[in-house]
Amino acid sequence: MENIIITIARQYGSGGKTIGYMLAKELGIPCYSREILEKASEESGINVVLFNQADEKLKRSPKFLLSTNVYSGELLPPESREFTSDQNLFNYQAKVIKDLAAQSSCVMIGRCADFVLKDSPNVVSVFVHASPEFNLQQALERSSMTPREMEKFIARTDKYRGDYYKYYTGREWSDARNYDLCINSGRLGFERSTEAIKDYLRVRFGKLPDPVDDK
């Protein structure tokens, strides 16, 4: 069987990242999140700082609200004036996502991986969400912010994730039609959310991904 890739988009505080790493550990496959940026830096030769700066710049940019720059896959060469443009930095991340998907079954967190791999048949796209109350409670456990400060932070973060997704995909981040499976982690909890994804894999593929030998 070809590699099985699980992509996870998630609301802040819903535990989507935690669920992704739990799932990968139980299946014995890699999980990639910020590692994608590091690998894109190695692949392109562009300092990883520029990838992080691009994220921060886009958070403050009004162009999110005015346009889209849908991913098409083209990589610009180092001699191009646009080599370190936001679009080319994203395209290198997308190349890494495709390369990792070709290497082995894995879990990928964020980075529009569901869209980048949308033409691959063995991709399961998951959106993890929960009630505002649950997300706030979970987020406060890992922060010294006041509840009011955290509410504002969650709203800003989810807005950025939605804007980022729409800018590079042309799609609405929170639209259930973009995903194979939407899970309310507040209802199920993290362990049963992980089991729900595994159940979906069994139904769809007739088996779980083979563990990856990392030796």
Side-chain angles (χ1 to χ4, degrees), residues 177-213:
R177 293 171 295 183
N178 293 328
Y179 306 97
D180 297 308
L181 187 63
C182 293
I183 292 179
N184 186 330
S185 58
R187 297 285 191 188
L188 293 180
F190 296 169
E191 291 185 4
R192 286 191 292 173
S193 293
T194 302
E195 289 302 316
I197 298 173
K198 289 163 64 176
D199 287 343
Y200 180 90
L201 295 174
R202 292 188 185 98
V203 171
R204 179 166 163 184
F205 300 111
K207 59 171 286 187
L208 296 175
D210 295 326
V212 174
D213 185 358

mmCIF file of all heavy atoms in Angstrom, residues 177-213:
data_model
loop_
_atom_site.group_PDB
_atom_site.id
_atom_site.type_symbol
_atom_site.label_atom_id
_atom_site.label_comp_id
_atom_site.label_asym_id
_atom_site.label_seq_id
_atom_site.Cartn_x
_atom_site.Cartn_y
_atom_site.Cartn_z
ATOM 1 N N ARG A 177 -16.294 21.153 4.404
ATOM 2 C CA ARG A 177 -16.197 20.485 3.105
ATOM 3 C C ARG A 177 -14.764 20.333 2.612
ATOM 4 O O ARG A 177 -14.501 19.557 1.681
ATOM 5 C CB ARG A 177 -17.029 21.260 2.064
ATOM 6 C CG ARG A 177 -18.532 21.214 2.324
ATOM 7 C CD ARG A 177 -19.273 22.154 1.408
ATOM 8 N NE ARG A 177 -18.935 23.549 1.659
ATOM 9 C CZ ARG A 177 -19.498 24.579 1.031
ATOM 10 N NH1 ARG A 177 -20.413 24.355 0.085
ATOM 11 N NH2 ARG A 177 -19.146 25.819 1.322
ATOM 12 N N ASN A 178 -13.838 21.033 3.239
ATOM 13 C CA ASN A 178 -12.431 20.926 2.852
ATOM 14 C C ASN A 178 -11.731 19.727 3.485
ATOM 15 O O ASN A 178 -10.570 19.448 3.172
ATOM 16 C CB ASN A 178 -11.674 22.199 3.243
ATOM 17 C CG ASN A 178 -12.130 23.405 2.455
ATOM 18 O OD1 ASN A 178 -12.529 23.289 1.301
ATOM 19 N ND2 ASN A 178 -12.083 24.580 3.083
ATOM 20 N N TYR A 179 -12.423 19.035 4.385
ATOM 21 C CA TYR A 179 -11.771 17.985 5.168
ATOM 22 C C TYR A 179 -12.534 16.667 5.078
ATOM 23 O O TYR A 179 -13.741 16.641 4.870
ATOM 24 C CB TYR A 179 -11.658 18.425 6.632
ATOM 25 C CG TYR A 179 -10.965 19.758 6.785
ATOM 26 C CD1 TYR A 179 -11.706 20.932 6.920
ATOM 27 C CD2 TYR A 179 -9.579 19.853 6.760
ATOM 28 C CE1 TYR A 179 -11.083 22.166 7.032
ATOM 29 C CE2 TYR A 179 -8.947 21.086 6.872
ATOM 30 C CZ TYR A 179 -9.701 22.241 7.007
ATOM 31 O OH TYR A 179 -9.072 23.447 7.110
ATOM 32 N N ASP A 180 -11.787 15.580 5.275
ATOM 33 C CA ASP A 180 -12.415 14.260 5.315
ATOM 34 C C ASP A 180 -13.105 14.019 6.653
ATOM 35 O O ASP A 180 -14.115 13.323 6.719
ATOM 36 C CB ASP A 180 -11.358 13.169 5.110
ATOM 37 C CG ASP A 180 -10.693 13.260 3.749
ATOM 38 O OD1 ASP A 180 -11.421 13.301 2.739
ATOM 39 O OD2 ASP A 180 -9.450 13.288 3.688
ATOM 40 N N LEU A 181 -12.535 14.589 7.699
ATOM 41 C CA LEU A 181 -13.016 14.291 9.042
ATOM 42 C C LEU A 181 -12.884 15.527 9.926
ATOM 43 O O LEU A 181 -11.810 16.129 10.005
ATOM 44 C CB LEU A 181 -12.172 13.148 9.630
ATOM 45 C CG LEU A 181 -12.564 12.534 10.964
ATOM 46 C CD1 LEU A 181 -13.941 11.872 10.866
ATOM 47 C CD2 LEU A 181 -11.515 11.515 11.393
ATOM 48 N N CYS A 182 -13.978 15.919 10.573
ATOM 49 C CA CYS A 182 -13.964 17.024 11.542
ATOM 50 C C CYS A 182 -14.253 16.439 12.915
ATOM 51 O O CYS A 182 -15.248 15.714 13.099
ATOM 52 C CB CYS A 182 -15.000 18.084 11.181
ATOM 53 S SG CYS A 182 -14.641 18.981 9.644
ATOM 54 N N ILE A 183 -13.417 16.751 13.876
ATOM 55 C CA ILE A 183 -13.515 16.152 15.205
ATOM 56 C C ILE A 183 -13.642 17.237 16.262
ATOM 57 O O ILE A 183 -12.844 18.183 16.299
ATOM 58 C CB ILE A 183 -12.280 15.290 15.502
ATOM 59 C CG1 ILE A 183 -12.276 14.059 14.592
ATOM 60 C CG2 ILE A 183 -12.233 14.871 16.960
ATOM 61 C CD1 ILE A 183 -11.084 13.155 14.803
ATOM 62 N N ASN A 184 -14.628 17.098 17.124
ATOM 63 C CA ASN A 184 -14.798 17.990 18.269
ATOM 64 C C ASN A 184 -14.040 17.375 19.440
ATOM 65 O O ASN A 184 -14.535 16.473 20.113
ATOM 66 C CB ASN A 184 -16.281 18.153 18.600
ATOM 67 C CG ASN A 184 -16.520 19.191 19.680
ATOM 68 O OD1 ASN A 184 -15.682 19.405 20.553
ATOM 69 N ND2 ASN A 184 -17.681 19.820 19.643
ATOM 70 N N SER A 185 -12.833 17.848 19.682
ATOM 71 C CA SER A 185 -11.991 17.276 20.731
ATOM 72 C C SER A 185 -12.536 17.563 22.120
ATOM 73 O O SER A 185 -12.223 16.838 23.073
ATOM 74 C CB SER A 185 -10.563 17.814 20.614
ATOM 75 O OG SER A 185 -10.552 19.233 20.697
ATOM 76 N N GLY A 186 -13.341 18.604 22.230
ATOM 77 C CA GLY A 186 -13.951 18.901 23.520
ATOM 78 C C GLY A 186 -14.977 17.851 23.912
ATOM 79 O O GLY A 186 -15.194 17.589 25.103
ATOM 80 N N ARG A 187 -15.608 17.241 22.938
ATOM 81 C CA ARG A 187 -16.586 16.179 23.191
ATOM 82 C C ARG A 187 -15.903 14.840 23.450
ATOM 83 O O ARG A 187 -16.304 14.077 24.324
ATOM 84 C CB ARG A 187 -17.530 16.032 21.996
ATOM 85 C CG ARG A 187 -18.375 17.251 21.699
ATOM 86 C CD ARG A 187 -19.493 17.410 22.677
ATOM 87 N NE ARG A 187 -20.435 18.425 22.224
ATOM 88 C CZ ARG A 187 -21.437 18.881 22.969
ATOM 89 N NH1 ARG A 187 -21.613 18.428 24.191
ATOM 90 N NH2 ARG A 187 -22.252 19.808 22.486
ATOM 91 N N LEU A 188 -14.875 14.554 22.651
ATOM 92 C CA LEU A 188 -14.251 13.234 22.704
ATOM 93 C C LEU A 188 -13.066 13.149 23.656
ATOM 94 O O LEU A 188 -12.761 12.076 24.176
ATOM 95 C CB LEU A 188 -13.786 12.823 21.304
ATOM 96 C CG LEU A 188 -14.862 12.561 20.255
ATOM 97 C CD1 LEU A 188 -14.218 12.165 18.923
ATOM 98 C CD2 LEU A 188 -15.823 11.480 20.713
ATOM 99 N N GLY A 189 -12.371 14.269 23.868
ATOM 100 C CA GLY A 189 -11.098 14.205 24.578
ATOM 101 C C GLY A 189 -10.005 13.801 23.604
ATOM 102 O O GLY A 189 -10.273 13.354 22.482
ATOM 103 N N PHE A 190 -8.777 13.939 24.009
ATOM 104 C CA PHE A 190 -7.661 13.713 23.098
ATOM 105 C C PHE A 190 -7.500 12.239 22.733
ATOM 106 O O PHE A 190 -7.256 11.899 21.575
ATOM 107 C CB PHE A 190 -6.363 14.245 23.696
ATOM 108 C CG PHE A 190 -6.357 15.746 23.891
ATOM 109 C CD1 PHE A 190 -5.360 16.356 24.630
ATOM 110 C CD2 PHE A 190 -7.347 16.553 23.336
ATOM 111 C CE1 PHE A 190 -5.337 17.738 24.808
ATOM 112 C CE2 PHE A 190 -7.350 17.931 23.507
ATOM 113 C CZ PHE A 190 -6.336 18.518 24.248
ATOM 114 N N GLU A 191 -7.601 11.352 23.715
ATOM 115 C CA GLU A 191 -7.395 9.931 23.434
ATOM 116 C C GLU A 191 -8.458 9.387 22.493
ATOM 117 O O GLU A 191 -8.141 8.668 21.530
ATOM 118 C CB GLU A 191 -7.369 9.136 24.739
ATOM 119 C CG GLU A 191 -6.147 9.408 25.602
ATOM 120 C CD GLU A 191 -6.087 8.511 26.821
ATOM 121 O OE1 GLU A 191 -6.963 7.614 26.946
ATOM 122 O OE2 GLU A 191 -5.172 8.686 27.648
ATOM 123 N N ARG A 192 -9.721 9.701 22.727
ATOM 124 C CA ARG A 192 -10.778 9.181 21.863
ATOM 125 C C ARG A 192 -10.781 9.881 20.507
ATOM 126 O O ARG A 192 -11.213 9.291 19.510
ATOM 127 C CB ARG A 192 -12.138 9.307 22.561
ATOM 128 C CG ARG A 192 -12.326 8.282 23.670
ATOM 129 C CD ARG A 192 -13.757 8.244 24.159
ATOM 130 N NE ARG A 192 -14.120 9.476 24.849
ATOM 131 C CZ ARG A 192 -15.352 9.768 25.271
ATOM 132 N NH1 ARG A 192 -16.341 8.922 25.061
ATOM 133 N NH2 ARG A 192 -15.586 10.914 25.896
ATOM 134 N N SER A 193 -10.295 11.117 20.457
ATOM 135 C CA SER A 193 -10.136 11.780 19.153
ATOM 136 C C SER A 193 -9.107 11.029 18.318
ATOM 137 O O SER A 193 -9.292 10.815 17.116
ATOM 138 C CB SER A 193 -9.686 13.233 19.340
ATOM 139 O OG SER A 193 -10.708 14.008 19.950
ATOM 140 N N THR A 194 -8.033 10.610 18.978
ATOM 141 C CA THR A 194 -7.018 9.813 18.297
ATOM 142 C C THR A 194 -7.611 8.501 17.808
ATOM 143 O O THR A 194 -7.355 8.066 16.673
ATOM 144 C CB THR A 194 -5.834 9.536 19.250
ATOM 145 O OG1 THR A 194 -5.292 10.783 19.693
ATOM 146 C CG2 THR A 194 -4.750 8.732 18.558
ATOM 147 N N GLU A 195 -8.405 7.867 18.646
ATOM 148 C CA GLU A 195 -9.038 6.604 18.253
ATOM 149 C C GLU A 195 -10.013 6.805 17.100
ATOM 150 O O GLU A 195 -10.134 5.941 16.216
ATOM 151 C CB GLU A 195 -9.767 5.992 19.453
ATOM 152 C CG GLU A 195 -8.854 5.434 20.523
ATOM 153 C CD GLU A 195 -7.925 4.353 19.979
ATOM 154 O OE1 GLU A 195 -8.402 3.485 19.217
ATOM 155 O OE2 GLU A 195 -6.734 4.385 20.317
ATOM 156 N N ALA A 196 -10.702 7.948 17.084
ATOM 157 C CA ALA A 196 -11.651 8.228 15.998
ATOM 158 C C ALA A 196 -10.926 8.316 14.659
ATOM 159 O O ALA A 196 -11.428 7.836 13.633
ATOM 160 C CB ALA A 196 -12.410 9.518 16.287
ATOM 161 N N ILE A 197 -9.753 8.935 14.656
ATOM 162 C CA ILE A 197 -8.979 9.027 13.414
ATOM 163 C C ILE A 197 -8.519 7.640 12.982
ATOM 164 O O ILE A 197 -8.587 7.286 11.798
ATOM 165 C CB ILE A 197 -7.778 9.975 13.585
ATOM 166 C CG1 ILE A 197 -8.263 11.397 13.922
ATOM 167 C CG2 ILE A 197 -6.923 9.993 12.313
ATOM 168 C CD1 ILE A 197 -7.142 12.361 14.281
ATOM 169 N N LYS A 198 -8.069 6.836 13.929
ATOM 170 C CA LYS A 198 -7.638 5.473 13.612
ATOM 171 C C LYS A 198 -8.809 4.653 13.071
ATOM 172 O O LYS A 198 -8.645 3.867 12.122
ATOM 173 C CB LYS A 198 -7.026 4.813 14.843
ATOM 174 C CG LYS A 198 -5.675 5.401 15.214
ATOM 175 C CD LYS A 198 -5.259 5.058 16.635
ATOM 176 C CE LYS A 198 -5.045 3.605 16.850
ATOM 177 N NZ LYS A 198 -4.544 3.330 18.223
ATOM 178 N N ASP A 199 -9.992 4.823 13.645
ATOM 179 C CA ASP A 199 -11.180 4.111 13.149
ATOM 180 C C ASP A 199 -11.478 4.505 11.712
ATOM 181 O O ASP A 199 -11.829 3.663 10.875
ATOM 182 C CB ASP A 199 -12.391 4.410 14.037
ATOM 183 C CG ASP A 199 -12.325 3.708 15.385
ATOM 184 O OD1 ASP A 199 -11.529 2.755 15.516
ATOM 185 O OD2 ASP A 199 -13.068 4.120 16.298
ATOM 186 N N TYR A 200 -11.343 5.800 11.408
ATOM 187 C CA TYR A 200 -11.575 6.261 10.035
ATOM 188 C C TYR A 200 -10.567 5.621 9.081
ATOM 189 O O TYR A 200 -10.930 5.196 7.971
ATOM 190 C CB TYR A 200 -11.476 7.787 9.971
ATOM 191 C CG TYR A 200 -11.699 8.345 8.581
ATOM 192 C CD1 TYR A 200 -12.969 8.701 8.147
ATOM 193 C CD2 TYR A 200 -10.635 8.486 7.689
ATOM 194 C CE1 TYR A 200 -13.173 9.195 6.864
ATOM 195 C CE2 TYR A 200 -10.829 8.972 6.411
ATOM 196 C CZ TYR A 200 -12.103 9.328 6.003
ATOM 197 O OH TYR A 200 -12.298 9.808 4.730
ATOM 198 N N LEU A 201 -9.315 5.552 9.502
ATOM 199 C CA LEU A 201 -8.292 4.938 8.668
ATOM 200 C C LEU A 201 -8.629 3.477 8.374
ATOM 201 O O LEU A 201 -8.463 2.999 7.247
ATOM 202 C CB LEU A 201 -6.926 5.038 9.341
ATOM 203 C CG LEU A 201 -6.338 6.446 9.549
ATOM 204 C CD1 LEU A 201 -5.047 6.368 10.350
ATOM 205 C CD2 LEU A 201 -6.087 7.135 8.219
ATOM 206 N N ARG A 202 -9.089 2.763 9.396
ATOM 207 C CA ARG A 202 -9.435 1.348 9.220
ATOM 208 C C ARG A 202 -10.589 1.186 8.230
ATOM 209 O O ARG A 202 -10.563 0.301 7.375
ATOM 210 C CB ARG A 202 -9.812 0.734 10.563
ATOM 211 C CG ARG A 202 -8.671 0.593 11.563
ATOM 212 C CD ARG A 202 -9.108 -0.194 12.775
ATOM 213 N NE ARG A 202 -8.072 -0.242 13.804
ATOM 214 C CZ ARG A 202 -8.033 0.563 14.859
ATOM 215 N NH1 ARG A 202 -8.976 1.501 15.024
ATOM 216 N NH2 ARG A 202 -7.074 0.450 15.749
ATOM 217 N N VAL A 203 -11.591 2.046 8.363
ATOM 218 C CA VAL A 203 -12.751 1.956 7.475
ATOM 219 C C VAL A 203 -12.365 2.299 6.045
ATOM 220 O O VAL A 203 -12.753 1.616 5.094
ATOM 221 C CB VAL A 203 -13.885 2.884 7.969
ATOM 222 C CG1 VAL A 203 -14.999 2.960 6.936
ATOM 223 C CG2 VAL A 203 -14.431 2.390 9.299
ATOM 224 N N ARG A 204 -11.589 3.340 5.881
ATOM 225 C CA ARG A 204 -11.256 3.805 4.523
ATOM 226 C C ARG A 204 -10.226 2.925 3.824
ATOM 227 O O ARG A 204 -10.365 2.621 2.634
ATOM 228 C CB ARG A 204 -10.754 5.247 4.588
ATOM 229 C CG ARG A 204 -10.355 5.795 3.215
ATOM 230 C CD ARG A 204 -10.205 7.289 3.254
ATOM 231 N NE ARG A 204 -9.453 7.785 2.107
ATOM 232 C CZ ARG A 204 -9.110 9.058 1.938
ATOM 233 N NH1 ARG A 204 -9.453 9.957 2.854
ATOM 234 N NH2 ARG A 204 -8.421 9.431 0.883
ATOM 235 N N PHE A 205 -9.182 2.514 4.558
ATOM 236 C CA PHE A 205 -8.088 1.784 3.921
ATOM 237 C C PHE A 205 -8.065 0.296 4.267
ATOM 238 O O PHE A 205 -7.275 -0.452 3.695
ATOM 239 C CB PHE A 205 -6.739 2.409 4.305
ATOM 240 C CG PHE A 205 -6.608 3.851 3.898
ATOM 241 C CD1 PHE A 205 -6.587 4.858 4.852
ATOM 242 C CD2 PHE A 205 -6.512 4.212 2.563
ATOM 243 C CE1 PHE A 205 -6.453 6.184 4.491
ATOM 244 C CE2 PHE A 205 -6.393 5.536 2.183
ATOM 245 C CZ PHE A 205 -6.368 6.533 3.146
ATOM 246 N N GLY A 206 -8.877 -0.101 5.225
ATOM 247 C CA GLY A 206 -8.893 -1.504 5.624
ATOM 248 C C GLY A 206 -7.762 -1.885 6.553
ATOM 249 O O GLY A 206 -7.645 -3.047 6.963
ATOM 250 N N LYS A 207 -6.931 -0.926 6.917
ATOM 251 C CA LYS A 207 -5.791 -1.168 7.807
ATOM 252 C C LYS A 207 -5.231 0.167 8.275
ATOM 253 O O LYS A 207 -5.593 1.222 7.735
ATOM 254 C CB LYS A 207 -4.698 -1.953 7.087
ATOM 255 C CG LYS A 207 -4.160 -1.259 5.834
ATOM 256 C CD LYS A 207 -2.939 -1.954 5.265
ATOM 257 C CE LYS A 207 -1.727 -1.692 6.112
ATOM 258 N NZ LYS A 207 -0.473 -2.211 5.516
ATOM 259 N N LEU A 208 -4.334 0.086 9.234
ATOM 260 C CA LEU A 208 -3.612 1.270 9.683
ATOM 261 C C LEU A 208 -2.282 1.350 8.945
ATOM 262 O O LEU A 208 -1.799 0.342 8.410
ATOM 263 C CB LEU A 208 -3.372 1.204 11.190
ATOM 264 C CG LEU A 208 -4.612 1.229 12.082
ATOM 265 C CD1 LEU A 208 -4.231 1.046 13.541
ATOM 266 C CD2 LEU A 208 -5.394 2.506 11.889
ATOM 267 N N PRO A 209 -1.679 2.529 8.888
ATOM 268 C CA PRO A 209 -0.368 2.633 8.224
ATOM 269 C C PRO A 209 0.653 1.719 8.887
ATOM 270 O O PRO A 209 0.619 1.498 10.086
ATOM 271 C CB PRO A 209 0.016 4.113 8.418
ATOM 272 C CG PRO A 209 -1.256 4.812 8.732
ATOM 273 C CD PRO A 209 -2.116 3.827 9.440
ATOM 274 N N ASP A 210 1.549 1.185 8.085
ATOM 275 C CA ASP A 210 2.630 0.376 8.627
ATOM 276 C C ASP A 210 3.589 1.278 9.408
ATOM 277 O O ASP A 210 3.891 2.403 8.971
ATOM 278 C CB ASP A 210 3.401 -0.316 7.512
ATOM 279 C CG ASP A 210 2.537 -1.338 6.769
ATOM 280 O OD1 ASP A 210 1.681 -1.958 7.433
ATOM 281 O OD2 ASP A 210 2.731 -1.505 5.555
ATOM 282 N N PRO A 211 4.072 0.826 10.568
ATOM 283 C CA PRO A 211 5.054 1.615 11.307
ATOM 284 C C PRO A 211 6.287 1.886 10.456
ATOM 285 O O PRO A 211 6.651 1.093 9.594
ATOM 286 C CB PRO A 211 5.392 0.715 12.507
ATOM 287 C CG PRO A 211 4.227 -0.209 12.638
ATOM 288 C CD PRO A 211 3.741 -0.439 11.238
ATOM 289 N N VAL A 212 6.910 3.007 10.718
ATOM 290 C CA VAL A 212 8.107 3.386 9.966
ATOM 291 C C VAL A 212 9.334 2.992 10.773
ATOM 292 O O VAL A 212 9.474 3.353 11.939
ATOM 293 C CB VAL A 212 8.124 4.903 9.693
ATOM 294 C CG1 VAL A 212 9.433 5.317 9.034
ATOM 295 C CG2 VAL A 212 6.944 5.280 8.819
ATOM 296 N N ASP A 213 10.212 2.272 10.141
ATOM 297 C CA ASP A 213 11.475 1.866 10.790
ATOM 298 C C ASP A 213 12.438 3.034 10.728
ATOM 299 O O ASP A 213 12.889 3.429 9.651
ATOM 300 C CB ASP A 213 12.072 0.661 10.058
ATOM 301 C CG ASP A 213 13.313 0.115 10.760
ATOM 302 O OD1 ASP A 213 13.715 0.701 11.786
ATOM 303 O OD2 ASP A 213 13.880 -0.877 10.268
#
